Amino acid sequence: QVQLVESGGGLVKTGGSLRLSCAASGRSFNLVAMGWFRQAPGKEREFVATMYWGGGDTSYAEAVKGRFTVYRDIAQNSVYLQMNGLKPEDTAVYYCAAKETYRGPYSDASMYVYWGQGTQVTVSS
């Protein structure tokens, strides 16, 4: 089993920045990627960004490209999401997720086995 613990959400004004953190513990040596999804009220969960552990490849949703950056600290077994230029439409609960397989699209939430508890990000206009 793998446990994911997130931190770093909060309230910020339009144009502001936040950094989310996600630490993995437990049997994390099988993980191949860790990423971020978000869910706004009344909407389905959507992919935000992911990083593959092996080569460090990253992928982003079109809505966040150029504003968000996902990166890792291998020694800390952690992944981070630096969010700049935040907009009100970025308001959501953000979830850290991890997968143990290279199968399936990186944006497919069903391919991610482990999930964090979620952290609220609110961007005021």
Side-chain angles (χ1 to χ4, degrees), residues 17-117:
S17 298
L18 283 174
R19 189 185 78 157
L20 305 183
S21 303
C22 176
S25 61
R27 298 175 65 84
S28 58
F29 50 83
N30 287 330
L31 300 180
V32 302
M34 290 179 67
W36 296 91
F37 289 74
R38 67 186 182 186
Q39 188 166 17
K43 295 187 177 181
E44 294 190 355
R45 190 170 298 189
E46 64 175 3
F47 168 76
V48 176
T50 198
M51 167 167 271
Y52 280 88
W53 235 229
D57 292 343
T58 58
S59 297
Y60 296 92
E62 285 297 324
V64 307
K65 276 184 181 178
R67 299 188 297 123
F68 290 11
T69 302
V70 60
Y71 61 99
R72 62 183 175 174
D73 183 331
I74 295 177
Q76 297 295 322
N77 229 16
S78 296
V79 67
Y80 305 90
L81 185 68
Q82 178 66 44
M83 305 184 292
N84 299 328
L86 283 162
K87 306 175 182 180
E89 51 264 44
D90 294 318
T91 295
V93 176
Y94 283 70
Y95 297 90
C96 176
K99 58 189 300 191
E100 295 179 324
T101 177
Y102 288 102
R103 291 186 295 110
Y106 54 80
S107 59
D108 184 351
S110 68
M111 292 290 106
Y112 291 77
V113 179
Y114 303 105
W115 292 83
Q117 78 282 3

